[in-house]
Amino acid sequence: MVATAAAHKRLDLAYQIEADVPPALLADPDATLGTPAELFIIPDHYIFRMLYSQGIGLESLGVPTRDGAPVENDHRAIWQRFADNFFLFRGTPTGLWLQDELVNVFGVRERLNSASAGRIYDQLAAQIARPEFAPRALLRRFNIELLCTTDAATDTLELHRRMHADGLTHIRPTFRPDAVVNIASPAWREQIAALTDVSGEDAGSYAGYIRALEQRRAFFKEMGALATDHAALTPYTARLSDAEAEAIFARALAGTPNADDAARFTGHMLIEFARMSAEDGLVMQLHVGSSRDHNTSVFARFGPDKGGDIPLATEWTRNLYPLLNDYSTDPRLRLILFTLDESTYGRELAPLAGHYPALRLGPPWWFFDSVNGMRRYFDRVIETAGLYNTAGFNDDTRAFASIPARHDVWRRVSCDWLAGMVVQGLLEEDDAQEMAADCAYNLAKRAYRFETHSE
Amino acid sequence: MVATAAAHKRLDLAYQIEADVPPALLADPDATLGTPAELFIIPDHYIFRMLYSQGIGLESLGVPTRDGAPVENDHRAIWQRFADNFFLFRGTPTGLWLQDELVNVFGVRERLNSASAGRIYDQLAAQIARPEFAPRALLRRFNIELLCTTDAATDTLELHRRMHADGLTHIRPTFRPDAVVNIASPAWREQIAALTDVSGEDAGSYAGYIRALEQRRAFFKEMGALATDHAALTPYTARLSDAEAEAIFARALAGTPNADDAARFTGHMLIEFARMSAEDGLVMQLHVGSSRDHNTSVFARFGPDKGGDIPLATEWTRNLYPLLNDYSTDPRLRLILFTLDESTYGRELAPLAGHYPALRLGPPWWFFDSVNGMRRYFDRVIETAGLYNTAGFNDDTRAFASIPARHDVWRRVSCDWLAGMVVQGLLEEDDAQEMAADCAYNLAKRAYRFETHSE
Amino acid sequence: MVATAAAHKRLDLAYQIEADVPPALLADPDATLGTPAELFIIPDHYIFRMLYSQGIGLESLGVPTRDGAPVENDHRAIWQRFADNFFLFRGTPTGLWLQDELVNVFGVRERLNSASAGRIYDQLAAQIARPEFAPRALLRRFNIELLCTTDAATDTLELHRRMHADGLTHIRPTFRPDAVVNIASPAWREQIAALTDVSGEDAGSYAGYIRALEQRRAFFKEMGALATDHAALTPYTARLSDAEAEAIFARALAGTPNADDAARFTGHMLIEFARMSAEDGLVMQLHVGSSRDHNTSVFARFGPDKGGDIPLATEWTRNLYPLLNDYSTDPRLRLILFTLDESTYGRELAPLAGHYPALRLGPPWWFFDSVNGMRRYFDRVIETAGLYNTAGFNDDTRAFASIPARHDVWRRVSCDWLAGMVVQGLLEEDDAQEMAADCAYNLAKRAYRFETHSE
């Protein structure tokens, strides 16, 4: 990997976005990582979308169908299929992470290919069976100071309660209310019913819905949550009058929304969530720009998150204006932005983060959580935003074992960037050393207001 | 030039987009390259648009006018004018190619400038007169395995028949139906008449028009065509009902189209062409984003393709959705995308090509067929799409003698990129060597389904 | 700093956009630079927006309020606050310029931080008090051949008259009519009244308004102006009929404009200004894409230009089409374009500048007047536009003492880029040496048609 790693306290603050598996893994002390196919292939859309792009059917990779139609269940055959095509991952971050995991987590010294596939499968299976490779053991070994899962607003956080009881207090929930905000989703009304049940507030009216959300946030915070997470197709924000909000909410409950109700309601709720964050201090994260389930036939057969999410061009300057002008001056608000449109780094996001006190720019996300993605981020963002308006690194992996590899890539690329700045006389060496530690650790802790004695 | 060339079988698969001259050149065994001005300047909009941008009139460069008004016909004076201003091409790919051609094709050792212009003109004229510089001789010397011209749907391919008769079976046609699809063009109705004549199908109705296109595709395929080529201002696609398509077609024939008929018809026909490709196996190429003939006064006086084509921002994710969802799961469809908007590489095109089996991403095109354009392509595309969802290299030159130079730039830049990845520990050296050969040769052959024994 | 500086005549052509302070500074022979806080912090939005982004109030930095509410007036305390937070500027151009100024203009050898703040304040104060640091003395020392201020259309240019009387004939005005063009501005009607007064033409009708503008341009030209400067949110251009223009003008004067009148009037006037430039030969500069005063609370309290201007995505190909097709073929027109949307460099601006004789592409502007901004500019623009369709370097600083630093960054980055091209065999060394002098000096002079004997 690039350059030389910085000498600093190696510590990871990891986010697990959309990942309900890992909490379960860690909540059950007897859980295991499963078969190599279950660990590396079947749940990982980074892996199977690349194989799919070359004509390999998801069924043949053991990806479960919605209707339960049978798929490949010979995990050794799935692994062989993956190994036969591992060359497809040359030059990709997925390939980089996987090789790093094989070597540094599982001690596999052979290169993965058709010939070595069987031997490596056996070696991995044997390792996974050992107690040192139980999820909780790896959690300790990975030296993760904070691991935040992302959880539905309706989640009882039972698993977190159990983990905290077992002393895993560094595993925290994150409040992700998308499912109760997206009125266009067929499941929305059930979600509202569930929200009522779990909150004890009648979410059947807009006012009650707001109270229920505030109740859930308070509960998440009590359970150690530091932040909320919001996904939107665009960063469109615009406040509705209570009457308009109530009317849209009623139309949605009645199943008769207008064409633009969903977009308008989301745009309004983002401002409401900014208000709540200003009031309760939960850091607000906004992930924008993914057109989900673009491949309708894959979605119909296999469901969401199957590697068919495609980014859209994103406009931040005009869209965030209403939210920023309502709450950006409130010193309690902290809003972290994530984009899938790199052309907005220098044009919109760095100037915004370099001005508004409430804003921090999140690390390169998803497709850009890569060596080149990080380099472009440093080159385009820092000159205008400065390093100290960025949020350091976190990842959104659902692949538990890839956490160290992902953070290591960030550490190496950030140090490579800093070293290059020093060599060119653009930074003093002692400043660069401080910045290396900030990139690896301090920025993320400050951005998420995570207070410990370790800083 | 950059880095070191890879050790691999040097072989070019060249596309000649919009180039009807080269086929004529090669069809006539006694053809010559003409004067140095005819070879390098008069037909090459890459060259004269740069001179024009500095106030040098196209008339003074011998570019023929539409109305036949006289222009400079002293080719030695044209060449001198070009040489006097050759400094304008410093740092441009055009300058790079031209120097490469002078040295490696024509053996000119002097640098081109005002003082050497006359001597170099004489040397070039002498070389061109020799049999080794006849087009067919150069074709052999260039070691081109496959040269695909781009030809109108109404073309009889007489020239190809003649070339094949002379054993030049590696010169293939490509089906380019734009002229019969663009109902907004004044010449469209004549084109439909010509389509009827050449196909024997009555193209005067939508149904007959579709039959005529299918007949032509079958003929092109019989004549060795591997692919089709489609140009569009945007990648907008949307299927029309047969009734709507028929109605638009009728309005167009009647000369009374509605404002959006042309865009809707093109968007519909792109889906129809995807269907035909899925059925007959011709690889579908889509070139998007050029606003043609932006300079109306140059267009009025000199006609199309005079260096006044300017790119537009392009949106792929939403626009291609209808086409991809109708045909992307058909394993017979192969769709290769070319863009003039680099901001879509990482944001839209690499995620699309990294998911849909039918898609491949074409090489950097036109303005981006350059050293930096290729570097940006490798840096932004491969991490997400992987190398094996790209189509290797082809060029769209109309300058026959520049083919080796263009392919050589690609080979050198791809090897420079690979060498950098190895040095950084991001690729294994043996993998990189395989990838160098893939970039230079195998990817293009696979993308265009060109089967030979040479792989 | 990067690479090695070129061996060439070091000479700066500096623009002072929106800077009325510097002319006053230079017009008064007894003026001083003020306190270190007045020189470096209070007037510089590059500096205080970064401090503000980290929660430091503008009041505490001495930025004056609109209503005169008191702000920090202890300049030593302001300086200390700045020094305490100087780490925020690591890796930013602002930090680079400031360090360069401290060392090379003021001879400060210590690094700025909390501990050294007081000592450095005293040292700066002492230097500023010396006659060698009087503005006119620095102007000589900076070796500035041409300094163009930017001045309202209604300016009497009294200060310039006084400076010219004192022999400072190399300080020229630039005609910036934005305030009399933007009918949406509350102050527009006063501006029209002022235009009538100063021009002697009745600007109360559209025809008179045009005459008044032509009169002012003639006067500015007489006072040595070389250029005009126009700012717009978008490059939208479209000619109105005289009747439409007259109607919009009348509605605006009556205070009853339609929703799109301002945009349509600006789009029309840009074409009118192109006509005037073609007629009087003043070089036309167009700065596009800044959404001004995005932070309404900062604007309400402190007024414009407080670091809250955020760029917007910009479309050039379609928007400039009407203007270019009316006047681009007029050899007298020279139009220099500046963008805040780097994605348009390779996609739109380089192809436009590489074709239209009237166009030149201005240097990286504002947020992109930086080391990486310049690198991206060279890498994306030159291959297509060629170096000779660019306008060399000018800056838009309002910080007088930062002029040498900004030009030095450009010289170093341009030489670094050229050296890299030579090392890669993409340029001949003697050509690169000529291009270094062109980047540093000749291109800017030619672009602004500034004739001297020094070339």
Side-chain angles (χ1 to χ4, degrees), chain A residues 17-301:
Chain A
I17 307 253
E18 301 161 32
D20 51 344
V21 178
L25 265 185
L26 295 159
D28 172 3
D30 307 322
T32 79
L33 296 176
T35 70
E38 285 168 330
L39 175 58
F40 288 110
I41 303 166
I42 295 170
D44 191 340
H45 62 69
Y46 285 77
I47 299 279
F48 58 66
R49 65 120 175 129
M50 180 67 86
L51 299 168
Y52 176 79
S53 75
Q54 289 280 311
I56 298 165
L58 298 185
E59 297 85 348
S60 72
L61 299 168
V63 178
T65 50
R66 261 182 161 167
D67 62 6
V71 295
E72 176 68 72
N73 57 21
D74 176 343
H75 288 195
R76 182 177 288 273
I78 291 168
W79 180 262
Q80 183 68 51
R81 209 162 277 131
F82 169 57
D84 293 343
N85 293 282
F86 190 54
F87 69 93
L88 296 174
F89 295 92
R90 290 171 179 169
T92 68
T94 310
L96 206 60
W97 300 328
L98 197 110
Q99 289 172 62
D100 186 282
E101 290 173 66
L102 289 176
V103 174
N104 297 315
V105 177
F106 296 98
V108 173
R109 296 269 162 254
E110 261 190 306
R111 279 169 66 183
L112 181 63
N113 53 39
S114 297
S116 63
R119 285 189 301 274
I120 292 176
Y121 187 90
D122 294 333
Q123 187 180 349
L124 288 171
Q127 293 280 56
I128 290 169
R130 296 168 53 202
E132 310 92 281
F133 289 87
R136 289 189 177 190
L138 286 176
L139 186 67
R140 280 189 298 279
R141 176 175 153 197
F142 290 168
N143 191 24
I144 291 172
E145 181 172 359
L146 174 69
L147 188 151
C148 296
T149 60
T150 318
D151 311 279
T154 53
D155 195 306
T156 61
L157 302 183
E158 245 339 290
L159 295 176
H160 291 78
R161 195 182 299 285
R162 205 180 312 161
M163 291 187 280
H164 294 180
D166 293 354
L168 302 179
T169 54
H170 57 312
I171 303 181
R172 310 282 190 92
T174 301
F175 183 72
R176 186 175 200 181
D178 298 343
V180 294
V181 171
N182 180 10
I183 63 178
S185 153
W188 182 73
R189 279 185 288 184
E190 289 160 37
Q191 287 289 323
I192 294 303
L195 182 60
T196 296
D197 296 342
V198 74
S199 69
E201 296 279 352
D202 176 2
S205 73
Y206 174 70
Y209 167 77
I210 293 295
R211 278 197 308 278
L213 291 172
E214 289 170 337
Q215 188 278 348
R216 297 314 293 155
R217 292 171 66 104
F219 173 67
F220 270 66
K221 196 174 169 185
E222 196 183 295
M223 292 294 290
L226 297 169
T228 69
D229 187 28
H230 308 268
L233 196 59
T234 80
Y236 170 77
T237 63
R239 177 172 284 296
L240 301 172
S241 68
D242 287 359
E244 289 172 302
E246 181 65 61
I248 290 178
F249 192 84
R251 281 197 294 272
L253 269 186
T256 58
N258 298 343
D260 61 350
D261 278 352
R264 292 180 67 214
F265 192 68
T266 300
H268 168 74
M269 286 307 298
L270 286 175
I271 296 182
E272 270 299 278
F273 287 124
R275 174 189 63 76
M276 296 179 197
S277 278
E279 291 172 2
D280 64 22
L282 288 175
V283 173
M284 181 175 180
Q285 300 179 99
L286 181 56
H287 289 82
V288 167
S290 178
S291 176
R292 302 272 171 185
D293 312 314
H294 195 270
N295 185 327
T296 48
S297 61
V298 163
F299 177 69
R301 185 155 172 71

Side-chain angles (χ1 to χ4, degrees), chain C residues 210-263:
Chain C
I210 294 296
R211 279 196 308 276
L213 291 172
E214 289 171 337
Q215 187 278 347
R216 297 312 294 152
R217 291 172 66 105
F219 172 67
F220 270 66
K221 195 174 169 186
E222 194 184 296
M223 292 294 290
L226 298 169
T228 69
D229 187 27
H230 308 268
L233 196 60
T234 79
Y236 170 78
T237 64
R239 177 173 284 296
L240 301 172
S241 68
D242 287 1
E244 290 172 300
E246 181 64 61
I248 290 178
F249 192 84
R251 280 197 295 272
L253 269 186
T256 58
N258 298 343
D260 62 349
D261 277 354

Side-chain angles (χ1 to χ4, degrees), chain B residues 44-273:
Chain B
D44 191 341
H45 62 71
Y46 285 78
I47 298 277
F48 57 65
R49 65 118 174 132
M50 180 67 86
L51 299 168
Y52 176 80
S53 75
Q54 290 280 311
I56 299 165
L58 299 183
E59 297 86 347
S60 71
L61 298 169
V63 178
T65 50
R66 260 181 162 167
D67 63 4
V71 296
E72 175 67 71
N73 57 20
D74 176 343
H75 287 195
R76 182 178 288 274
I78 292 168
W79 180 263
Q80 183 69 51
R81 208 161 278 131
F82 168 57
D84 294 343
N85 293 281
F86 190 55
F87 69 93
L88 296 175
F89 294 92
R90 290 171 180 169
T92 68
T94 311
L96 205 60
W97 300 327
L98 198 111
Q99 289 171 62
D100 186 280
E101 291 173 66
L102 289 175
V103 174
N104 297 316
V105 178
F106 296 98
V108 173
R109 296 267 162 257
E110 262 189 306
R111 279 168 67 183
L112 181 63
N113 54 39
S114 298
S116 64
R119 285 188 301 273
I120 292 177
Y121 187 92
D122 294 332
Q123 187 179 350
L124 287 171
Q127 294 278 59
I128 290 169
R130 297 168 53 202
E132 310 91 280
F133 289 87
R136 289 189 178 189
L138 286 175
L139 185 67
R140 279 188 300 278
R141 177 175 153 196
F142 290 169
N143 191 26
I144 292 172
E145 180 172 0
L146 174 69
L147 189 152
C148 297
T149 61
T150 318
D151 311 280
T154 53
D155 195 305
T156 62
L157 303 182
E158 242 342 287
L159 295 176
H160 291 77
R161 196 182 300 284
R162 204 180 313 161
M163 290 187 280
H164 293 178
D166 293 355
L168 302 179
T169 54
H170 58 310
I171 303 181
R172 311 282 191 93
T174 301
F175 183 72
R176 186 176 200 181
D178 297 344
V180 295
V181 171
N182 181 10
I183 64 177
S185 153
W188 182 73
R189 280 184 289 184
E190 289 160 38
Q191 287 290 323
I192 295 303
L195 181 61
T196 297
D197 296 342
V198 74
S199 69
E201 296 279 353
D202 176 2
S205 72
Y206 174 69
Y209 167 77
I210 293 296
R211 278 195 308 278
L213 291 172
E214 289 170 337
Q215 188 277 349
R216 296 314 293 155
R217 292 172 65 105
F219 173 67
F220 270 66
K221 195 172 168 186
E222 194 184 297
M223 292 293 291
L226 296 169
T228 70
D229 186 27
H230 309 268
L233 196 59
T234 79
Y236 170 78
T237 64
R239 177 173 283 297
L240 301 172
S241 68
D242 286 0
E244 290 173 300
E246 181 64 62
I248 290 178
F249 192 85
R251 281 197 293 272
L253 270 185
T256 57
N258 297 344
D260 61 350
D261 277 353
R264 291 180 66 213
F265 192 68
T266 300
H268 168 73
M269 286 308 298
L270 287 175
I271 297 182
E272 270 299 278
F273 286 125

Side-chain angles (χ1 to χ4, degrees), chain C residues 290-307:
Chain C
S290 178
S291 176
R292 301 273 171 185
D293 311 314
H294 194 270
N295 185 327
T296 49
S297 61
V298 163
F299 177 68
R301 185 155 172 70
F302 299 97
D305 305 319
K306 292 300 175 290

